[in-house]
Amino acid sequence: MKRYEIRWTALDPTTGAEISKTRPAVIVSLDVLNQRLQTVTVCPLTTEPGP
């Protein structure tokens, strides 16, 4: 996985007002970390405008 790729992710488990479903997310963690760790940092994408 590379930084800035968009992947489908299953955001489960969720907390609070988060929506539990599969949705696109952009990978924001560094490539060097993505190669060495079993987890990556992502930012879910939405079509809804923010507050």
Side-chain angles (χ1 to χ4, degrees), residues 5-41:
E5 281 184 352
I6 297 175
R7 297 285 185 111
W8 286 99
T9 57
L11 302 175
D12 190 39
T14 59
T15 59
E18 295 174 356
I19 298 173
S20 176
K21 65 178 182 179
T22 302
R23 61 187 316 137
V26 63
I27 299 170
V28 295
S29 51
L30 298 174
D31 288 337
V32 67
L33 296 176
N34 296 341
Q35 293 171 0
R36 290 176 170 65
L37 301 177
Q38 293 183 3
T39 59
V40 297
T41 304

